[in-house]
Amino acid sequence: MSLPIVDTFGRKHTYLRISLTDKCNLRCTYCMPQEDMQFMPSKWLMQADEIKALAEIFVEMGVDKIRLTGGEPLIRKDVGQIVSDLGKLPTSLTLTTNAVFIDQFIDNLKEAGVNSLNVSLDTLREDRFRAVTKRDHFTKTLGNIRLLLAEGFVVKINMVVMKGINEDEVNDFVRMTLEQPNLHVRFIEFMPFKGNQWDMSKIVSYNELLSDINNEFDFQQLTGELQDTAHRFQVTGGAGTFGIIGTVTHPFCSGCNRIRLTADGKLKNCLFDTSEADLLTPLRAGQDVRALIHAHFHKKHFAHGGHVNFTEKQAKSDYEQNRNMIAIGG
C-alpha cells in the first residue's frame, strides 16, 4: 500500500476526478469559450490503458471514489472499455454527463457497478436549453433522465444558476425533488474560468438561493460530511433533496479531498490552481509517478488555488491564467 495523499493542512485526498476529453456535444456558455476554442489532439489524451494504470496507482494511494468527467465523457469511442476497466477496481465509480447519450450505456454502467450519476441541466425550458447549450437536445436529455430513474439509478442534477439566465427556475427544480427519492438537485454558483465571461454580478449566491427557495418551500438542512461540496436540504415531506454548492461565497475548502486529472494527464490539486503536474509523460517513459503526486499536493493552497482575492473583480486576470472549465474537467 502506497502512502496516502495528504497535503500540508492534513487533508487526505481520496476522491479522483478523471477527465476523459475536453470535447462536448453541447456548447454551454459557462463551460467553454464561444470563440476560438481549441481542442486537444487525440495523441495528447490519456489512452484507456493509461487511464487504468493511473487509476490503479491512485487507488493504491487511498482513493476510494472515482468520477469520470469531460467535456462529455460519453463521446469517447472507448468509454465503454474505460468504464469496464475502472469498475473492476476496489472503489466506487460514477460520472458526470449531459445525458444525451446515456441510453446507449445503461447496461455497461450497471455491469461496472455504477449506481449514481450527475447530470448537467440548467433549465427546464426548451428555448432556454437551446440558448444555453446551442443545441436541440432538450427532449432527449429529459427523456434520458427519466430513463435513468426508471432503471434504478440515483440522479443528481447539476444546475449552474446565473442571473438574467435561469435564476427564476430554481423553485421549479426544487419541485422535481418532492416525489422522487432518487432525484437530487444541486444548485451551483457561477464560477470563474478562462473565457466564460464570469463576473460577480452574474452570481446567484448561496444566501440568495436559500432566500428564494424559502419563499415557496419549508425545508430542513441535512447532516453532511466535512468533505461535502454541497450543503444539502430537504423540503418538508419531500422525497428527494436539493443542495447548494457555494464555491464562490460559501467555499468548502477546509474539507477538500479532491484530485483532478485532466484529459491530457495533468494533475491539478485544485480546480482554480493554475499549476499542474504532468503525469502522462513520465508514465509513458516507465517512471513511477507517486513522488510527483505527493510533491504536487504538498504545494496545495488552503483555498481557491491560492487566489486570496477570489471574489474581487480585479482577480479576473488570475482566473484567465487557468484553463477553460471544459479543459479541466468538472
Side-chain angles (χ1 to χ4, degrees):
M1 181 73 175
S2 302
L3 291 173
I5 304 167
V6 181
D7 66 14
T8 58
F9 302 96
R11 295 174 296 194
K12 186 177 179 181
H13 293 74
T14 59
Y15 180 10
L16 174 63
R17 304 170 71 98
I18 304 175
S19 175
L20 300 187
T21 178
D22 65 340
K23 296 182 176 68
C24 187
N25 53 310
L26 304 183
R27 292 293 182 270
C28 299
T29 54
Y30 58 82
C31 188
M32 69 169 70
Q34 298 307 291
E35 298 178 358
D36 301 323
M37 182 63 196
Q38 301 295 319
F39 297 107
M40 302 176 197
S42 297
K43 65 181 180 181
W44 290 8
L45 303 183
M46 296 182 291
Q47 302 305 300
D49 61 327
E50 294 166 339
I51 292 171
K52 178 183 177 183
L54 285 171
E56 288 174 342
I57 290 170
F58 278 106
V59 170
E60 289 175 8
M61 300 175 79
V63 162
D64 57 18
K65 180 179 181 179
I66 295 176
R67 176 179 299 279
L68 302 179
T69 70
E72 171 49 49
L74 297 183
I75 67 173
R76 268 192 66 144
K77 294 180 180 179
D78 57 356
V79 67
Q81 183 61 52
I82 294 170
V83 169
S84 178
D85 287 343
L86 300 190
K88 295 181 175 70
L89 298 177
T91 177
S92 67
L93 179 64
T94 184
L95 68 150
T96 297
T97 174
N98 58 42
V100 174
F101 303 121
I102 201 70
D103 53 304
Q104 303 173 31
F105 295 94
I106 297 295
D107 291 341
N108 186 235
L109 294 171
K110 287 184 176 181
E111 290 170 2
V114 176
N115 53 37
S116 174
L117 303 93
N118 285 24
V119 176
S120 300
L121 180 67
D122 302 308
T123 178
L124 297 173
R125 303 182 187 183
E126 187 168 7
D127 58 336
R128 284 186 179 174
F129 185 95
R130 188 181 303 111
V132 171
T133 68
K134 315 301 182 189
R135 297 292 186 269
D136 290 310
H137 297 315
F138 179 73
T139 301
K140 185 67 178 295
T141 300
L142 285 188
N144 277 344
I145 289 173
R146 296 188 189 101
L147 174 63
L148 286 169
L149 291 169
E151 291 288 340
F153 290 92
V154 173
V155 177
K156 299 177 182 178
I157 294 179
N158 291 337
M159 178 196 186
V160 177
V161 188
M162 299 165 282
K163 283 186 178 176
I165 303 294
N166 61 354
E167 78 272 29
D168 58 337
E169 293 188 63
V170 167
N171 284 334
D172 294 335
F173 276 84
V174 173
R175 200 169 293 111
M176 294 173 67
T177 71
L178 297 182
E179 298 181 1
Q180 177 52 259
N182 280 348
L183 183 64
H184 309 275
V185 173
R186 300 292 181 262
F187 301 113
I188 304 174
E189 290 182 344
F190 182 34
M191 293 180 285
F193 292 98
K194 182 178 180 181
N196 74 347
Q197 305 301 310
W198 177 87
D199 190 278
M200 277 294 292
S201 65
K202 298 177 182 178
I203 289 179
V204 182
S205 72
Y206 178 100
N207 288 335
E208 289 174 313
L209 286 164
L210 281 184
S211 178
D212 290 344
I213 297 168
N214 190 50
N215 287 334
E216 186 168 342
F217 300 100
D218 293 322
F219 56 85
Q220 302 81 38
Q221 184 165 1
L222 303 176
T223 302
E225 302 293 336
L226 179 63
Q227 66 270 19
D228 288 346
T229 58
H231 294 273
R232 297 185 305 121
F233 305 85
Q234 188 170 44
V235 174
T236 303
T241 68
F242 71 90
I244 301 176
I245 301 177
T247 307
V248 178
T249 69
H250 274 65
F252 39 82
C253 303
S254 61
C256 183
N257 68 338
R258 285 163 294 287
I259 305 163
R260 286 181 167 82
L261 193 59
T262 65
D264 56 342
K266 304 298 193 301
L267 181 67
K268 292 183 76 73
N269 59 30
C270 174
L271 193 59
F272 300 106
D273 197 335
T274 55
S275 66
E276 301 175 350
D278 181 10
L279 298 188
L280 184 56
T281 300
L283 180 78
R284 287 177 173 175
Q287 300 174 20
D288 190 338
V289 300
R290 290 170 178 81
L292 292 173
I293 295 170
H294 284 299
H296 194 60
F297 275 84
H298 188 75
K299 297 184 294 184
K300 182 169 182 171
H301 297 279
F302 181 74
H304 287 154
H307 298 303
V308 294
N309 297 318
F310 187 79
T311 60
E312 301 297 326
K313 291 184 178 180
Q314 60 263 34
K316 182 176 175 61
S317 60
D318 292 341
Y319 313 138
E320 290 292 327
Q321 297 174 28
N322 204 357
R323 297 190 186 213
N324 313 117
M325 177 64 173
I326 196 169
I328 299 173

